[in-house]
Amino acid sequence: MPIKFAGEFEVQRGPEDVYAFLTDPNKFCPLLPEFRGVTVEDAEHFTVQVNVGVSYIKGVANVKLHLAESQRPSRAQFKGQGSVAGGNVSMVATFDLMSVESGTKVAWQGEAQVFGRLTSVSGGLLEPLGKKQVQKLIDGLQAALHAASGGTV
Amino acid sequence: MSVDGKGWVGKAVPRKEEDRLLRGRGKFADDIKLREMLYLRFVRSSYAHANIVSIDTSDAEKIPGVICTLTGSEIASQTQPFIEMAPDPGGKIQDYPLAISKVRYQGEPVAAVMAISPGIADDGAEAVQVEYAALDPVVDAEQALTDASILHEEAGTNKVWGGVFEYGDVEQAFREAASVIEIDRMHFHRFSSTPLENNVVIAQWDPKDERIYYSCNNSFPSFAIQFLAAHLNVHIDRIRVQTSDIGGSFGIKITSYPQMAVCALASKKAGGRPIKWVETRSEHMISSAHGNERTFRDTRVALDKDGVITAITSRHIDDCGAYPRYEPLGCVIWSQVFPGVYRFKNARIDFSQAVTNKCPVGPNRGYSRMQHLWFLERVVDICAHELGIPADEMRLRNYIRPEEFPYTTPNGCIYDSGNYPKMLEVAKQLIGWDAWKKKQAEARKEGRMLGIGIGTTLDSGTNNFGQAQIVNPGAPFSGNSQGANCKLDIYGEVVVAVGSCPQGQGHETTAAQVVADVLNINPDLITVRTGFDTERNVHTGFSGTYASQFAVSGLSAVHGAAQKLKAEMKRLAAFVLKSKEEDLEFGVGGQGPEVRSKSNGKSINYWGMANIVNVNSAVLPVEMHDVTLNCRYIWRAPFKVPDIKRKYGNLTMTYASQLHIAVVEIDRETFIPKILDYVAVDDCGTVINPPIVEGQVYGATAHGIGAALLENCVYDSVGNMLTSTFSDYIPITAMNMPTVKYGHIETPSPHSYSGAKGMGEGGAAPIHTISAALQDALFDKRIFIDDSFNNPDSLFRALKGEIGRADDIVKVERRA
């Protein structure tokens, strides 16, 4: 079963700045929980490494991502595939940016599908764990954009 | 001779195997360690259905201690695809032991890494990079038959096999029926066997003599070598297979030949170094073999005014997983028990089998027949319930009657013997039927959900492999056979070798009992060789241990070999003792086992006879040079090739039967079904060794209870197996096994020399019995048990009305 996430938040930055931040792997990727590193191939392709651990299963996820859809500054969609802890993951993450009075409203949605050992041995834990990690990412994103704006929320 | 003078067959002779197994002195495949041995680890697919874009083994090969790797494309270049037993389109499927361009189930091996230690092999496997392009998975057999996403492009369809089995006059029976009951859908779930010992293979492709040596725990080696020789392009005599003690198989280890092939090819690549592969539990769960899953659609049952079933029609869809392997034999094997224990003569079953993106199936204990027997038992209980006939009475009205044996079924099988009403009577007495009925009535007044269920099943043993021709007219199989050798060794020891491959069934003991009776000596004086070895030259193409047949095929072969030996010993002794053969008697004297002359009082012991034949042969006259005291005998079952067009003929030699009764209560708070009482009554004809039979009944009962309540191979919608460890797949153990009351009756088989019937699979009787008990517990809530697996979650959902709603499943038309 695919794990689906969605939500929205607002930041005090204009859509152009937010878009630039979200599509820059060197800025965005370090916000991922358990981030280990990123290798940027070109403006639209990069590989991110994060630590993954569910209970006693621990490993490193290597996910190749590319900017599959780009409508500057209103929409960005990343698609990726990679290996994780003896299995594989495929994912899609979409950000829709809308200009609002206070800055930008970011509506985001993601879908991840995990294949292999991780699902087999800890399938029931994946969704809550994933949601927790996504929330960390969004919190980090908000904080980073806030800090970058130099203002207060 | 035994103390009571009645022989050893039928006695509770202690198992000869017990001493070494209980003291930890058994020798299993994993105990074998060879010089320069390498350890193999498979790289397995995480996807259920995907194209392989690339495989990069270079990082693995750089790891110190990794000797080499192997991929599917390397294998494809030097082998043939495995033989398929299906006709086209199933016959077009190309099955290799490592995936080549595509993976078709999660856990499918895509590469192998060979290293100097298991740990380094693990590291190597982790370092292999495989890039996949995911495809739409198909995890449901009915969906697979739509061919929306095809697993094997070369076949062009997911349907492996299809055929209609029709007998009698179905239409007339429905026209004349007093009532017709329709059941929309029922489902028999997927589970496995979880033997204590997983698969193990040690293979060596010896470059010096170009022979392949296997030590393994495959349970049907003569079948495996036929597949391996053709696949590896080697003469079959160049493959030697040895087994020793085996920690359970239950049929699942029959299909380990793909892994055996990889190990041999890995050894070849590694320059002839021996390769050892020891399967982990998770590997076993996701990729060894599961039992067949089956869905029953559009069932219609015609009944007369007394509730006697006169006809059944139904559509059955079998899910064989990603590769057929032993299939499509399961598409006909179920018909060995076509009417179950019932008398109906008119039936039409439209049977199909499909591949899905799940682990391939294998012949799991009760193979293919238990699914059908569960279906019939559900039909009987649902009809009884709808017509208001008590479950025991419904069975008595429909059972084949004792006086009708030998009974010919609508499809030509000949049930040898049985007495199902008697078994029911014994089981009811053992469980205290009337007392439980009273307790049940009281419990229901309190709102408790307490049910009593009956399951009556058959364990058909000793196959006629001619039934393979019903699914594939070109299949070169028919009949059945087994080999054995009985000899006096050079020092006069009696040594027996059999072509079976025991995994705890006590073959050493029962074979010794049979020979002891022939030679009139104690079983302790007989050595029965452990395990299987192609070089003993006692195997035929059917040799192995499967399909409830040793008591008939194995012991008939042993009996034949012992008789041959006895005849030679008589000739020799008559010559030496200067006596007539008819004056000779066999027994034990002051110098051990001997043959003595009643006419002149002279005797010769076994050492003396063996000495003359083997090392003192100058004393033998030329006319006795054919006496070897080393006698091979091949037993052949008296089968004929079935009528392929009509799908008619005798498919099995013996029919052991089981009748179980369970009392089950569903907890009102937790929905946990608890077994309050359980009885298993068995009839396997003449019992050769009562404790061994009783042990097998307990084992089969445990297996069935586990399957009914605990064990389920669950896949998600994309083909991830969610129950790949014992955290999620809960096997039955001594800790969660209820107390079972055991009873037996004996209706000797007229089809075997001893009256014995093959046994040990138990027809998965507990699955039927527990389904029936749960049905009875929920009788007043309009819930039907339409699935063979029932755990607290499914019962909770049923009680919430999410599943099992009678009005969605069953329709009743009363005409009279």
Side-chain angles (χ1 to χ4, degrees):
Chain A
M1 293 289 287
I3 305 167
K4 294 182 178 178
F5 313 100
E8 56 182 43
F9 61 89
E10 287 184 15
V11 291
Q12 292 176 319
R13 297 287 298 267
E16 188 65 43
D17 289 349
V18 176
Y19 184 91
F21 189 93
L22 288 174
T23 54
D24 182 346
N26 288 316
K27 288 182 179 166
F28 175 77
C29 292
L31 298 176
L32 292 164
E34 307 293 337
F35 172 75
R36 277 172 64 113
V38 63
T39 309
V40 180
E41 292 166 39
D42 58 41
E44 293 183 354
H45 294 84
F46 55 98
T47 302
V48 63
Q49 285 191 328
V50 291
N51 290 327
V52 174
V54 182
S55 184
Y56 58 87
I57 303 166
K58 300 194 189 304
V60 177
N62 283 287
V63 184
K64 285 183 179 176
L65 287 149
H66 72 279
L67 187 59
E69 199 179 329
S70 168
Q71 294 170 32
R72 194 178 187 103
S74 59
R75 184 178 171 86
Q77 185 182 66
F78 294 100
K79 285 188 177 175
Q81 269 198 326
S83 60
V84 50
N88 291 83
V89 63
S90 65
M91 56 170 290
V92 180
T94 309
F95 297 92
D96 286 303
L97 313 181
M98 206 187 314
S99 178
V100 293
E101 198 175 323
S102 58
T104 303
K105 184 161 94 176
V106 182
W108 56 272
Q109 54 183 320
E111 185 175 318
Q113 181 73 63
V114 181
F115 303 89
R117 194 184 306 164
L118 202 57
T119 305
S120 294
V121 300
S122 57
L125 299 174
L126 281 180
E127 187 153 354
L129 183 75
K131 284 190 169 160
K132 195 172 149 190
Q133 299 294 62
V134 167
Q135 192 55 52
K136 275 189 192 172
L137 170 65
I138 298 303
D139 291 347
L141 204 55
Q142 278 182 287
L145 287 166
H146 174 65
S149 71
T152 55
V153 178
Chain B
M1 182 181 282
S2 62
V3 176
D4 63 6
K6 290 181 181 170
W8 294 99
V9 167
K11 295 279 186 309
V13 175
R15 295 206 321 163
K16 290 168 86 73
E17 302 88 339
E18 220 88 275
D19 185 62
R20 70 171 187 276
L21 293 174
L22 293 179
R23 292 173 194 274
R25 293 178 187 151
K27 183 181 173 187
F28 296 85
D30 192 26
D31 293 326
I32 297 169
K33 291 175 178 61
L34 301 174
R35 201 165 72 86
E36 295 201 315
M37 190 157 75
L38 301 176
Y39 298 84
L40 181 147
R41 195 83 171 111
F42 285 109
V43 178
R44 295 182 180 278
S45 169
S46 47
Y47 286 93
H49 198 192
N51 284 322
I52 297 172
V53 177
S54 64
I55 301 177
D56 182 355
T57 58
S58 56
D59 286 350
E61 285 159 356
K62 287 174 198 156
I63 295 174
V66 169
I67 302 301
C68 59
T69 62
L70 197 61
T71 61
S73 56
E74 288 175 80
I75 281 185
S77 66
Q78 53 183 316
T79 62
Q80 302 294 322
F82 285 119
I83 295 167
E84 291 297 330
M85 288 197 278
D88 290 348
K92 290 181 177 168
I93 289 172
Q94 297 212 336
D95 182 8
Y96 286 93
L98 293 177
I100 298 169
S101 58
K102 188 178 184 187
V103 290
R104 297 178 175 89
Y105 68 97
Q106 187 194 71
E108 181 169 0
V110 293
V113 175
M114 282 61 72
I116 57 171
S117 77
I120 294 173
D122 273 348
D123 291 345
E126 291 286 335
V128 173
Q129 301 293 319
V130 187
E131 192 179 342
Y132 298 97
L135 297 166
D136 288 338
V138 189
V139 292
D140 174 81
E142 285 187 88
Q143 189 195 345
L145 288 176
T146 67
D147 286 337
S149 177
I150 296 211
L151 271 74
H152 299 276
E153 286 75 9
E154 61 274 21
T157 173
N158 293 325
K159 187 172 182 174
V160 174
W161 190 85
V164 177
F165 296 73
E166 181 164 357
Y167 308 98
D169 191 336
V170 173
E171 305 311 328
Q172 187 182 344
F174 274 95
R175 274 198 303 275
E176 294 173 355
S179 53
V180 173
I181 293 178
E182 296 181 8
I183 306 165
D184 176 44
R185 182 182 187 274
M186 294 191 284
H187 174 252
F188 191 93
H189 74 297
R190 180 178 265 253
F191 61 94
S192 193
S193 289
T194 63
L196 280 174
E197 179 200 28
N198 293 326
N199 285 300
V200 179
V201 178
I202 298 164
Q204 184 176 20
W205 192 312
D206 193 328
K208 289 178 185 162
D209 59 5
E210 281 297 318
R211 295 193 70 200
I212 303 165
Y213 297 89
Y214 283 111
S215 293
C216 62
N217 54 14
N218 181 288
S219 53
F220 193 173
S222 64
F223 171 83
I225 57 175
Q226 292 175 63
F227 275 63
L228 286 165
H231 170 69
L232 298 170
N233 295 315
V234 297
H235 193 289
I236 198 164
D237 191 51
R238 292 197 170 277
I239 302 175
R240 180 180 187 180
V241 179
Q242 288 176 288
T243 70
S244 38
D245 287 314
I246 297 179
S249 166
F250 314 107
I252 288 298
K253 287 176 180 164
I254 287 175
T255 46
S256 66
Y257 61 85
Q259 295 91 333
M260 292 170 73
V262 175
C263 290
L265 291 162
S267 172
K268 188 179 186 185
K269 188 170 181 184
R273 291 177 73 169
I275 302 290
K276 185 182 212 177
W277 170 64
V278 181
E279 184 181 51
T280 67
R281 180 60 62 182
S282 293
E283 282 183 297
H284 185 79
M285 295 306 299
I286 63 170
S287 67
S288 61
H290 296 161
N292 297 54
E293 184 177 350
R294 198 169 293 168
T295 306
F296 308 94
R297 296 304 304 257
D298 309 326
T299 302
R300 294 182 78 227
V301 189
L303 302 104
D304 72 9
K305 61 182 174 39
D306 297 319
V308 173
I309 295 171
T310 55
I312 297 177
T313 64
S314 190
R315 199 159 55 85
H316 297 181
I317 302 126
D318 192 83
D319 176 349
C320 72
Y323 296 91
R325 307 236 157 121
Y326 202 76
E327 298 299 329
L329 290 186
C331 296
V332 66
I333 279 177
W334 65 271
S335 70
Q336 295 168 4
V337 293
F338 188 88
V341 291
Y342 302 111
R343 302 178 74 231
F344 65 87
K345 293 283 188 187
N346 310 298
R348 180 172 59 238
I349 305 293
D350 183 349
F351 198 101
S352 310
Q353 185 175 63
V355 283
T356 60
N357 292 117
K358 292 189 282 196
C359 176
V361 299
N364 194 25
R365 193 178 202 169
Y367 172 46
S368 189
R369 297 151 293 169
M370 65 178 161
Q371 291 84 348
H372 183 68
L373 292 164
W374 178 82
F375 161 77
L376 289 174
E377 289 295 283
R378 296 308 310 123
V379 164
V380 166
D381 273 318
I382 289 172
C383 290
H385 185 259
E386 290 302 287
L387 298 178
I389 302 170
D392 54 339
E393 179 58 31
M394 182 73 177
R395 284 172 169 80
L396 288 174
R397 292 183 195 182
N398 282 280
Y399 278 154
I400 295 162
R401 293 168 188 153
E403 63 273 18
E404 293 176 307
F405 289 97
Y407 179 83
T408 302
T409 66
N411 61 326
C413 290
I414 300 168
Y415 288 3
D416 48 349
S417 62
N419 190 336
Y420 313 133
K422 177 75 177 168
M423 292 177 81
L424 180 59
E425 186 188 322
V426 171
K428 284 170 78 172
Q429 277 174 4
L430 272 171
I431 205 153
W433 179 268
D434 295 337
W436 271 117
K437 279 287 177 189
K438 279 183 193 162
K439 286 181 199 169
Q440 183 184 40
E442 287 161 16
R444 282 179 174 167
K445 281 183 199 163
E446 297 165 16
R448 289 160 58 200
M449 295 178 281
L450 190 149
I452 306 172
I454 303 168
T456 324
T457 70
L458 293 170
D459 187 353
S460 48
T462 311
N463 285 336
N464 176 0
F465 275 82
Q467 64 202 279
Q469 297 184 25
I470 290 176
V471 289
N472 185 353
F477 313 118
S478 69
N480 199 330
S481 60
Q482 181 59 285
N485 195 84
C486 197
K487 67 176 177 180
L488 286 197
D489 223 330
I490 294 174
Y491 284 168
E493 294 160 344
V494 182
V495 179
V496 179
V498 198
S500 70
C501 191
Q503 312 116 34
Q505 294 92 340
H507 291 184
E508 292 169 47
T509 307
T510 50
Q513 286 176 264
V514 167
V515 176
D517 277 351
V518 171
L519 299 179
N520 196 27
I521 57 176
N522 191 302
D524 289 344
L525 296 169
I526 296 160
T527 298
V528 181
R529 304 284 291 273
T530 302
F532 175 96
D533 187 347
T534 44
E535 306 245 311
R536 287 181 193 153
N537 198 28
V538 290
H539 65 285
T540 72
F542 302 118
S543 291
T545 294
Y546 58 93
S548 297
Q549 62 176 12
F550 183 74
V552 176
S553 64
L555 292 185
S556 293
V558 168
H559 185 255
Q563 292 282 10
K564 274 180 90 171
L565 176 65
K566 185 178 184 181
E568 286 198 359
M569 290 168 73
K570 265 190 175 180
R571 274 182 69 198
L572 180 65
F575 163 74
V576 174
L577 301 177
K578 298 185 172 33
S579 176
K580 291 179 181 172
E581 284 191 30
E582 54 268 31
D583 289 341
L584 299 175
E585 62 180 8
F586 285 68
V588 179
Q591 292 184 318
E594 65 176 19
V595 182
R596 54 185 168 257
S597 170
K598 286 184 280 184
S599 56
N600 62 23
K602 292 179 180 173
S603 65
I604 181 167
N605 67 9
Y606 285 12
W607 178 86
M609 283 189 278
N611 175 267
I612 290 170
V613 168
N614 292 293
V615 295
N616 198 12
S617 58
V619 304
L620 268 183
V622 173
E623 61 269 26
M624 296 204 69
H625 280 191
D626 59 329
V627 172
T628 62
L629 302 183
N630 189 348
C631 299
R632 178 175 182 263
Y633 182 83
I634 301 296
W635 173 86
R636 289 182 181 84
F639 284 126
K640 291 179 180 165
V641 176
D643 181 334
I644 298 164
K645 227 174 188 176
R646 291 168 61 209
K647 299 184 176 69
Y648 187 93
N650 190 18
L651 307 182
T652 322
M653 268 193 78
T654 61
Y655 286 84
S657 49
Q658 301 79 34
L659 195 145
H660 292 202
I661 298 180
V663 181
V664 180
E665 180 166 10
I666 303 168
D667 187 282
R668 285 176 290 178
E669 302 286 327
T670 63
F671 307 97
I672 293 172
K674 187 176 180 192
I675 294 173
L676 304 181
D677 208 350
Y678 201 98
V679 162
V681 175
D682 193 80
D683 174 9
C684 61
T686 303
V687 172
I688 293 162
N689 187 313
I692 288 178
V693 165
E694 195 174 337
Q696 294 228 33
V697 170
Y698 283 123
T701 303
H703 205 161
I705 291 173
L709 298 173
L710 302 167
E711 302 182 34
N712 189 13
C713 296
V714 181
Y715 283 84
D716 70 10
S717 60
V718 294
N720 283 310
M721 192 192 176
L722 303 179
T723 49
S724 68
T725 72
F726 282 171
S727 296
D728 299 302
Y729 187 99
I730 304 161
I732 192 146
T733 66
M735 300 300 286
N736 46 20
M737 176 74 182
T739 301
V740 172
K741 295 170 184 166
Y742 167 72
H744 84 280
I745 69 165
E746 284 190 21
T747 60
S749 172
H751 293 171
S752 64
Y753 90 89
S754 63
K757 304 177 184 183
M759 59 88 59
E761 301 192 54
I767 308 177
H768 327 317
T769 309
I770 289 169
S771 288
L774 293 170
Q775 178 70 80
D776 191 46
L778 301 170
F779 86 109
D780 58 347
K781 301 184 191 308
R782 294 298 292 161
I783 293 169
F784 275 117
I785 298 297
D786 58 356
D787 200 292
S788 54
F789 181 70
N790 293 280
N791 65 2
D793 180 56
S794 61
L795 293 169
F796 172 66
R797 290 175 60 210
L799 283 157
K800 275 178 66 184
E802 290 177 11
I803 54 172
R805 283 157 43 97
D807 297 337
D808 296 341
I809 300 167
V810 180
K811 282 184 192 157
V812 181
E813 180 192 343
R814 287 190 175 81
R815 297 173 180 167

